[in-house]
């Protein structure tokens, strides 16, 4: 029976001991130990999260790079295209200009030729006129002498004269 | 008659306590056997859960054992 | 190297053999007039409290460490060393203080009777040999209290050191490597699942103190030499206080919901409610009482079993029993190492469970 009868003195000391132990350990052991463990777990969690972030950022960065590269490539493409266009345009422009110039020169030349021709014809006309006048003079002179001769002369004259 | 016998005899409470403890041991034995058998069966069925089953089986054993010890404590009280 | 080892082993075996053979012979040659070996008395003496710390018997004389006796008597506080009883435990030696006489009988201190009876005992007994003398309140630093102080000191040293054994970035070194997993175990497997994420921080220090206080005292009870070996956690006063603290905590912390579930269980037909209330009300007391008895009975039973096995040698009065007896004692001792840890864990877990159920808010 006295094995299962709690002893007052021991109850008293157990209670005191437990309370003291509780406060001492709480202050000097549990708080620092649990605090350290929690801090460490928190820091591990944080580190993992930041690593994840860094990974994501890296991914973003790579994506960015790719994008920039693509843009650059596209830009280059555009520039090249522009240059090509410019070249062709320049060539065609030059061709056009040359053609225009040539046309102009040709037309000028034609004009000149025409003018020359005109002046030549006019000259010829003048010569023909003066020739005919001369002939007429001579004819007139010959007529005065002989009619036959006169006619012969006109004929000769006319055969001599070829319209060039 | 037996009642009168009991009254006259100097009753040895220790003997009754021993019987009580024995009965408690039978009960606890059955309980422990059940737990052990079921645990083994469960482990055979799901070997990947072995650790968990073992841990909870041991704790349950402690509970069953405690019931037997309750009876022994009762038999200690005279 | 190998041969020397083997030789040592061979000599050892031979030695054991000769001891085994020769001891019964000596035992027989001694006259068998020793007093009868009383197993129950020896075991009870071990598992109960004492006013001095008995180390060993030398040449028939007990050697023990005296501990202070503190008594709250009718005339105030009285203090003296337990050695003044001169190892007497049958009420034959009187210690006089403050005009009061004290005797020690079965590790209990009584006011002495005026005259001795025929055995020289200053005690009065009734027919069933129960003492009739009055006794003062005994607040002595007994063997168990002394053990408790030792365990406190050990706990404070162990955990004080482990709290300091952390590097700046929180990496455990030395002893903290051992203690930290235990602390984390209590936090993750006892406190959080039973009390819940929200409240567990308030109770974690209590649960940790409870677990380690019980565990270290359980372990100290298993070590069979001086500052240890006392059966503190197998003493009902010790478990009573711890269970009482849990009981008071659940009663104080109980939410409205908790009390409602005890006295007027929702979701149950009305005629059943009074019966359930009765059962639940009894449960309030049965739960901590079972906590108290479970720990007490387990640890005491462990001590009794080991001591009984050792006692077999003396019961059979033969050295031949000793190998079996010692083998089984060691075997049970090893099981006990497991049991004491499980019991400390169960006590803590159930305390956490009761506290958790008192704090719980049900959703209906």
């Amino acid at each position: 029976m006295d094995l299962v009868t709690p002893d007052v003195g021991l109850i008293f000391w157990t209670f005191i001991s437990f309370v003291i132990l509780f406060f001492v350990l709480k202050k000097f052991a549990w708080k620092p130990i649990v605090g350290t463990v929690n801090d460490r777990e928190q820091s591990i969690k944080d580190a993992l999260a930041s690593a994840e972030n860094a990974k994501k950022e890296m991914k973003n960065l790579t994506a960015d790079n790719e994008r920039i590269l693509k843009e650059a490539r596209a830009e280059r493409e555009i520039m090249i295209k522009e240059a090509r266009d410019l070249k062709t345009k320049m060539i065609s422009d030059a061709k056009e200009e040359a053609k225009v110039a040539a046309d102009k020169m040709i037309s000028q030349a034609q004009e000149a030729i025409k003018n020359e021709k005109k002046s030549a014809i006019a000259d010829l006309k003048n010569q023909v006129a003066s020739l005919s006048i001369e002939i007429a003079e001579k004819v007139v002179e010959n007529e005065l002498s002989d009619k036959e001769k006169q006619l012969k002369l006109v004929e000769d004259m006319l055969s001599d004269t070829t319209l060039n | 008659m037996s009642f009168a016998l009991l009254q006259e005899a100097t009753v040895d409470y220790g003997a009754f306590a021993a019987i009580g403890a024995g009965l408690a041991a039978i009960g606890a034995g059955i309980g422990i056997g059940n737990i052990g058998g079921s645990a083994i069966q469960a482990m055979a069925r799901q070997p990947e859960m072995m650790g968990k089953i073992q841990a909870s089986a041991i704790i349950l054993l402690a509970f069953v054992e405690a019931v037997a010890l309750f009876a022994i404590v009762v038999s200690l009280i005279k | 190297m190998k041969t020397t080892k083997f030789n040592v082993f061979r000599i050892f075996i031979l030695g054991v053999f000769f001891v085994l053979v020769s001891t019964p012979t000596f035992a027989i040659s001694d006259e068998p007039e020793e007093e009868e070996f009383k197993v129950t008395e020896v075991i009870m003496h071990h598992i109960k409290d004492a006013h001095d710390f008995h180390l060993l018997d030398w040449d028939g004389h007990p050697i023990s460490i005296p501990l202070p006796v503190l008594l709250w008597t009718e005339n105030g506080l009285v203090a003296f060393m337990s050695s003044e009883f001169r190892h007497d435990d049958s009420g034959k030696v009187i210690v006089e203080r403050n005009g009061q006489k004290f005797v020690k009988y079965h590790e209990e201190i009584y006011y002495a009777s005026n005259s001795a009876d025929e055995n020289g005992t200053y005690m009065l007994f009734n027919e069933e040999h129960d003492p009739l003398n009055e006794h003062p309140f005994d607040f002595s630093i007994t063997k168990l209290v002394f053990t408790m102080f030792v365990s406190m000191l050990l706990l404070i040293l162990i955990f004080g050191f482990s709290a300091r054994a952390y590097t700046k970035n929180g990496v455990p070194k030395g002893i903290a490597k051992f203690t930290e997993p235990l602390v984390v175990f209590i936090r993750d497997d006892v406190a959080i699942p039973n009390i819940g994420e929200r409240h567990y921080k308030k109770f974690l220090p209590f649960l940790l103190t409870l677990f380690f206080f019980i565990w270290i005292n359980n372990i100290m009870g298993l070590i069979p030499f001086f500052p240890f070996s006392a059966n503190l956690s197998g003493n009902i006063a010790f478990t009573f206080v711890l269970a009482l603290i849990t009981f008071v905590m659940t009663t104080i912390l109980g939410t409205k919901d908790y009390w409602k579930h005890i006295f007027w269980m929702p979701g149950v037909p009305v005629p059943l409610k009074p019966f359930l209330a009765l059962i639940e009300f009894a449960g309030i007391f049965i739960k901590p009482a079972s906590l108290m008895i479970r720990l007490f009975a387990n640890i005491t039973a462990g001590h009794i079993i080991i001591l009984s096995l050792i006692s077999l040698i003396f019961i059979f009065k033969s050295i031949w029993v000793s190998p079996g007896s010692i083998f089984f004692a060691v075997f049970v001792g090893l099981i006990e190492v497991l049991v004491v840890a499980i019991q400390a864990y169960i006590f803590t877990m159930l305390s956490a469970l009761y506290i958790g159920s008192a704090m719980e808010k049900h959703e209906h």
Side-chain angles (χ1 to χ4, degrees), chain B residues 48-74:
Chain B
E48 70 277 1
M49 295 285 283
M50 198 178 259
K52 269 189 175 173
I53 293 170
Q54 249 167 7
S56 45
I58 286 173
I59 288 160
L60 286 170
L61 290 186
F63 275 110
V64 173
E65 196 188 40
V67 173
L69 291 168
F70 285 179
I72 288 173
V73 170
V74 172

Side-chain angles (χ1 to χ4, degrees), chain A residues 95-154:
Chain A
K95 266 185 186 162
E96 200 89 350
E97 224 164 284
K99 206 178 159 205
V100 169
D103 282 0
K104 212 172 148 191
M105 271 163 82
I106 289 169
S107 67
Q108 266 173 2
Q110 274 171 345
E111 196 80 7
I113 291 170
K114 223 187 242 170
N115 286 348
E116 288 289 309
K117 202 176 158 187
K118 252 185 207 161
S119 69
I121 291 171
D123 232 11
L124 194 63
K125 272 180 182 165
N126 285 343
Q127 269 181 15
V128 168
S130 56
L131 201 57
S132 42
I133 290 170
E134 248 177 73
I135 294 168
E137 259 175 20
K138 277 183 180 158
V139 167
V140 169
E141 259 177 50
N142 279 346
E143 237 178 74
L144 291 170
S145 52
D146 195 354
K147 200 174 167 190
E148 246 166 261
K149 266 188 188 175
Q150 228 178 19
L151 274 173
K152 200 185 171 242
L153 186 71
V154 171

